[in-house]
Amino acid sequence: MTFEIEINGRMRRASVERSGPGRFLVTLDGVVHDVDASRTGEHALSLLLDGVSREVQLAPNGLPGELIAGLEGRTAGVSVNARRTRRGPAETDSGAGEQRIVAPMPGRVVRILAAPGDLVAARQSVIVVEAMKMENELRAARAGRVTHVAVTPGMSVESGRVLVVIE
Amino acid sequence: MTFEIEINGRMRRASVERSGPGRFLVTLDGVVHDVDASRTGEHALSLLLDGVSREVQLAPNGLPGELIAGLEGRTAGVSVNARRTRRGPAETDSGAGEQRIVAPMPGRVVRILAAPGDLVAARQSVIVVEAMKMENELRAARAGRVTHVAVTPGMSVESGRVLVVIE
Amino acid sequence: MKVLVANRGEIAVRVIRACREMGIPSVAVFSDCDRDARHVRDADQAIHIGPSEAAASYLRIGALLDAARQSGADAVHPGYGFLAENAAFAGACRDAGLTFIGPSPETIATMGSKTAARAAAIRAGVAVVPGLAAPLCEDAGGAAIAAAARGVGYPLLVKAVAGGGGKGMRMVDDESALAGAIRTARSEAGSAFGDSAVYFERRLEHPRHIEIQLLGDIHGTVIPFVERECSIQRRHQKVVEESPSLAVSPALRQRMASAAADVARAVGYTGAGTIEFLLDGSGEFFFLEMNTRLQVEHPVTEMVTGVDLVQWQIRIARGERLVLDADRMLAPLGHAIECRIYAEDPDRGFMPSPGLIRGLRPAAGPGIRDDGGVSAGYTVPTFYDSLMAKLIAWAPSRQQAIDRMSRALREYHVLGIRTTIPFFLWLMRQPEYVAGRYDTTYLDRVLAERAASGANTPGFSELSDRDEEIVAVAAALDAYLRATGTQAENGGPMRSRWADAARREALRG
Amino acid sequence: MKVLVANRGEIAVRVIRACREMGIPSVAVFSDCDRDARHVRDADQAIHIGPSEAAASYLRIGALLDAARQSGADAVHPGYGFLAENAAFAGACRDAGLTFIGPSPETIATMGSKTAARAAAIRAGVAVVPGLAAPLCEDAGGAAIAAAARGVGYPLLVKAVAGGGGKGMRMVDDESALAGAIRTARSEAGSAFGDSAVYFERRLEHPRHIEIQLLGDIHGTVIPFVERECSIQRRHQKVVEESPSLAVSPALRQRMASAAADVARAVGYTGAGTIEFLLDGSGEFFFLEMNTRLQVEHPVTEMVTGVDLVQWQIRIARGERLVLDADRMLAPLGHAIECRIYAEDPDRGFMPSPGLIRGLRPAAGPGIRDDGGVSAGYTVPTFYDSLMAKLIAWAPSRQQAIDRMSRALREYHVLGIRTTIPFFLWLMRQPEYVAGRYDTTYLDRVLAERAASGANTPGFSELSDRDEEIVAVAAALDAYLRATGTQAENGGPMRSRWADAARREALRG
C-alpha cells in the first residue's frame, strides 16, 4: 500500500508491507526500513527501526489526511495523500491568485491595518484579531493589493470568516 | 429507565430520567436526585448533585455489568442488573453448597495446606499460589470438608483453574 | 473555613489542592464552557455562574458573591487575573462578610494605581523608574506634555496608570511620536481598564525584570523571598521564569528584598504579593510595580524555599502568624525554572490554538512539578487566556535544571492542539539562555529576527532529516493500519500474545 | 557513554530519565510481553531479549551482554531486583569490557552472603543482630543444631544465607519448631536462590527497620545520607518508606551514618548502596544486611537532600569524585514519604491484580513526584512484580507530607485494575501511622486483626453511605447513557455547546 506523505513542505512516497506480526517493511523514497511497530494509544505508535526506539504521536488536525505529529516534544504538520483529498483552493496560501485572510479562531476585530486599494508586502500585517486575551496580527502571505475588507473594528467573528481579500 | 445496582453487597434500585441537556433525575431507593452529569472520559462521569461535585470512574471489570468504580482514591465493585446478566453459580462464594477454590491468575502452586477429607474453617488458607513474585494464600470462604485437591505443588496453573473443592 | 475559588484553569486547581491538603472544603465556579474543566471536577462543590464570556461569569462580582452564599463559603480566593486585583471585589467580599484571601481593598486600590504605587515606593525610600509622579492631565496642552516628556527623558514609555500586561503602553523614541502614542495608549487603557489615565516613565535600556515575592501577616510581619528572574518575555508577557537569578548576588538580593519589604510595610501589606523591579546593567534597581496577588510564577519560589505560598495565603487570612525563618527564605536551595505551556502555535507567531485535547501525558519523575489545569478530552476554550499548565523543573544547579526541563519537555505529550512546548525545547538550547545572558528585550529581538528572515526560518521544532523520516514512517504505518486494519491489526504484534492473558483475566470476576 | 538498562518497569524509566538529563543515550531491553512497556518507548533504543518469563529474558546474562554488544552500549545499569545483586553478572560485564554501574563483583559477592556481610560489619566494629557467624553445616546433627539455637536464644529466625525479601526465612519460638523451620527454610532458599544454606539470628522484639543510603567513589570517599524509615512492611516487603525517621535523633543519625560508612569503607564500596539496620526500643541498632544496589525507595532520600542518586551512580561509574557536602546529606530538608503503588487488590489480601490499564492519571502538583513505569493501554503482565509506580510526597513537615500524600492519592486515577491506593489512603489516616508509633510488626499485626474479624471488616475503601449513593447514581447514569445514547448523548450537555466550537475548529486547517 502506497502513500504520499508531506512533512514540512517536503513530499515523500512511502509504501508499507506487512512482514510478520507487528513487523513491517516501509519503503521511503526508495529506502527500505524494517520496522517493529506497535500502536501504544489511539494516536500513538511505538517504532523500533534502524537501531532506534521512537514514539510518534499522530493526532487529527481537523481535516481528512491532516495530522499533527509529535516526536519528543517537537511537532510537525503531516499530510497523508493530500493531493487526493486536498480541499479546494487553499486560503492564505503562498501560490498565485487571490489571497483570503480568514479568522483562524473566533474572536473580535481590534484594528484593521489596510484599506481597499492599499498595496501590501509579503508578511505585512493587515488586521488584528483578539482572542484568548491575545491580539493576533494576521499577515499577508505574499505581496498584493487589498480588494476587500469584510469586517469593521469591534466586530465579533467566527472561525473561518473571511476578513480581508488581497489580489 | 430502571437499573439494579449492587455496591459492596447492597442492592439499590435506580431509575433515570433525562430532564434537560446534561440534567437527569435519578431516583435511588425512592429518593430523587437532581443531577448535572457530564461524561469526562470514556470511563468517567462528573456529577454535580446535592451540593457536591464528584468525579466517578467506572471501568469494566471483565464481565458484563460488572464495573470497578473509583471515587477519590477509593474503589468499589459495582454490578449493574447483575440478576439479569449473572453468570452461573458463583465460585468461592459465601452461599451454601460446594466451594471451588480457583486460581485467580496464572501462577505456580507452591504449597497445599489441606488434604482431601480435612475439615477447614472459614477463612482458613488451603493452598498457596505464586504469581508476580508473590505468594498468595487462597482461603476457604466458609467452613467445610475438602473433597478434592486437583493440583500438586510446582504445577503451573492457568487463571480460573479449579484447585481445591470443599463441601 | 470553606473557600470559594473565584477563578478557573491551573490556578483554581492549585488552590483546590492547597485547600484539600489543609482539610478545607473548596467550591469551584464555572462558566458555560467550563462545565467539564478540571477545577470543576476536582473541587468539593461547583457552582455555575454564567455564560462563557468572562465579563458574564468570572468577572461578575454579583454572581461570585451569590455562589459563595449559595455554597456556604466564608472565604474567597481570587487566584490571579480576573478579579484578583480588583479593589471593588475585595471590598464587596468584605461587605458580604467573606474573608478575601488577599490584601485589603485599600491596599489593592493604592498599588493598583501605578502612580500611587510609585509614590508609596518613594515614601518607603525605594528608587522608582524615573518618570512622572502623577498622571498626565486630560486637558494638558501639547507644550506642557512635551516639557513633561523632556523632563523624564527619551526614550520613554507612555503607560496606563491602571495598566498591566503591556496593555495601554507605548514606547516613544522622540517627541514626534509622542502625541500619537499618548492617543493610542489612552484608547487602549480606556477600553481595557475603564481608565484612560496615562503617565510617562523612562525606558531603561536593557533591563532585567527581577521580582521579590513576599508574605505579610496581619500582625505586622513581612517576609521577603529570594528573587525571581522573569526577563524572558514576549510582548511584555512572561513565558519562562526562574529562581534564583544569575544577575543577583547575595548582597544585591539582600538590598532588593529589604527594599521590597519596606514598600510592603509602608502600605501595611498582608497576604502574598510581589514587588517587580527593573535591574539595569550597573546593578541599580528601580521599583516598577506591585502585584497584590499570587503570581503565575509562584512555584519557582516554592521549589527553592520549600514554602507553600498558597497555604500561607490561607493561613494569613485565618489570622495566623508567619513563622518562617526569614534568612532561609533568602537562601535558595538549588535552582528552579518554570515554562508556561500555552495552547499557542509558536510556529505561527504564537497564535492561540484552542481545541480538543485528544491526549495528555504530563512530564513527571525526579525534580519535575506539573501544575496543570486541563485534562484529556477537554476542549481548550477561546474565551480565556491559553495557559494549560506550568511545568517546573528543580535541580541542584541551573544547568541541571535546564537539562531536566529539556528532558521533561521531551516527555510531555499534548495531542490534538499546538502548544509552546517546541518553543521551550528550542529556548533551553539557546546559548544566551544557557549562559543567562538575557534581558527583557532578548526574546522579542530574537523572534523579530526570525520573523524577518521569513520563510527560510525553520520552525522551533527543528526536526532532523532522520526525525522527519521517522515521522513519515509513522504516518505511513498509521494510514496503513487504519486503512487495512481491524483494531486487532492496529494492536500490533504483542496484542495477540496478550490476548490469552486478557481472556484469562476476563474469567477472574 | 551509552547505557544498557538491564531492567524494566519504573526503575528502567527512572534510569532512562537520568541518562537523558545527562545527555547519555540509553538502551532498553524487553521481553515478549513488554514490547509496549513504557521503558521501551522512552529509551533511545530497545532490544528484544527473550520470552516473558524472567528466567528467559531479564535474568539471562548472555542475552543482556548480546544486547549491549548489538547496541554498542559500553555501560550497564542493573536497576534493582533481577540481576542487580548478582556477582556473576557484574563479573560478566567486566569481562566483556562493559562498565557495570555498581560495586565490584567481589563486593557484591561478599555482601550477598548474609554471614560474610555480618562478618564484615563486625570487622568494621559495627554491632550485628546476635546470631551465628557461619552457616549451619548441612550435616549438623539435631543436638548440635539445638545447642547453636540455644546459644543465639529464642525467639529466633532461621534465615537463608543468600536470602532477601523474606524468602527462606522462618520464625521459631521454641525448640519444638526448629527442625521443621530449618527444613522449609532450606527448601525455599534452595529453590529461590539456588543455595540452601541457612543460619540463625535472634529475633528482636519490636524493631524498626532503619537504613542508611550511601555513595562511595573509586577514590575512597564514602558519604552516608540521612536515614530512611522502612518499618511499614507487609510480610517483610516494604510498602511505605519515609525520611527522616521519627525514631532517629540527630545524634543517633550521626552514629548510624558513621557505622554504615565504616562498613562500606571496610569492603571498599563503590557506587550506591544501603546498609539496613534494626533499631530496638532502647535506641540500640544492629547491622542487618547491605544492599549493593539502588533501592526502590531511593526517592525519599533524593527529596530531602536534593541529590540525584542515579546520576551520581553514573558519575561514580565514570570515575568522578563525590563532591557532595557530607554535613548537608545528614541534614534533611523537610519530610518525604513514598507509597508503592502495586497492581494488587488490598481488599483481597493484596492479591495481584494484573490486566489492562484502561486509564491512568497520576497525581501531580506541589510537592508530588510520580515515578511511574506504566501507561494507559498497557497490560500489567503476570510475570514480574506488580509495582506500577511510586508516589512520593514532600512537605516541610511530616504531617504536611501525610496530608499532601492523601491529597495526591485521592487524585491518582488508575482505571481497569485494582491497586493499593485505597490501602494507602486508609493507612495515612491510622493514628499509629500519623503519630509514627509503628515498628516492623505493625502492619502484619493490623492486617491479621482485620482478617480475623472476617466478613465484618469493611474494605480499605471505606465509602460512606453518601459516597455509595453517588457511585450508584453514577453507575445508573453510565448504564443509561450507554443504553440510550449515541456518543453525543453520552457527551452530556456541554458537548453540544461545544459542537459549534469543534466544528469551527475543523475549518482551521
Side-chain angles (χ1 to χ4, degrees), chain B residues 35-155:
Chain B
V35 186
D36 179 333
S38 187
R39 196 173 277 291
T40 46
E42 193 187 341
H43 303 295
L45 286 170
S46 164
L47 307 181
L48 307 181
L49 76 167
D50 306 336
V52 303
S53 170
R54 290 288 185 278
E55 191 168 34
V56 180
Q57 292 90 45
L58 289 162
N61 196 13
L63 286 165
E66 304 267 332
L67 303 165
I68 306 177
L71 176 59
E72 296 186 346
R74 294 151 310 153
T75 52
V78 177
S79 305
V80 179
N81 291 344
R83 270 194 252 168
R84 297 182 212 164
T85 58
R86 181 95 72 184
R87 63 199 184 286
E91 294 145 350
T92 331
D93 215 330
S94 54
E98 192 183 83
Q99 294 178 64
R100 286 185 289 165
I101 310 294
V102 299
M105 76 211 73
R108 199 176 57 82
V109 175
V110 178
R111 278 186 297 283
I112 296 171
L113 307 170
D118 284 2
L119 286 172
V120 294
R123 302 192 57 80
Q124 184 177 329
S125 299
V126 291
I127 189 164
V128 181
V129 177
E130 183 183 281
M132 300 180 92
K133 289 180 60 185
M134 298 273 297
E135 296 194 355
N136 305 284
E137 297 189 356
L138 305 182
R139 297 161 185 274
R142 54 187 192 284
R145 183 183 300 273
V146 174
T147 56
H148 186 57
V149 175
V151 291
T152 54
M155 265 178 79

Side-chain angles (χ1 to χ4, degrees), chain C residues 375-421:
Chain C
S375 51
Y378 177 68
T379 298
V380 177
T382 57
F383 296 97
Y384 319 110
D385 87 2
S386 59
L387 185 64
M388 298 169 58
K390 299 178 318 204
L391 179 63
I392 304 106
W394 180 93
S397 73
R398 184 171 186 271
Q399 184 58 52
Q400 285 170 300
I402 291 173
D403 293 339
R404 188 161 270 175
M405 178 63 85
S406 298
R407 182 272 289 173
L409 290 164
R410 285 174 71 178
E411 72 179 50
Y412 209 118
H413 294 177
V414 182
L415 277 66
I417 61 174
R418 302 277 186 164
T419 75
T420 46
I421 289 172

Side-chain angles (χ1 to χ4, degrees), chain D residues 114 136 229 238 245 472:
Chain D
K114 286 197 195 287
L136 271 187
E229 159 73 78
K238 300 164 189 166
S245 168

Side-chain angles (χ1 to χ4, degrees), chain C residues 357-381:
Chain C
I357 300 174
R358 292 178 186 271
L360 181 68
R361 190 197 63 184
I368 293 300
R369 168 173 166 184
D370 180 62
D371 270 29
V374 298
S375 51
Y378 177 68
T379 298
V380 177

Side-chain angles (χ1 to χ4, degrees), chain A residues 4 15 21 24 33 51 55 59 61 65 76-77 92 97 123 125 148 155 164:
Chain A
E4 284 179 346
S15 73
F24 303 88
H33 303 263
E55 192 167 33
N61 196 13
T92 331
R123 303 190 58 80
S125 299
H148 186 56
M155 266 177 78
V164 177

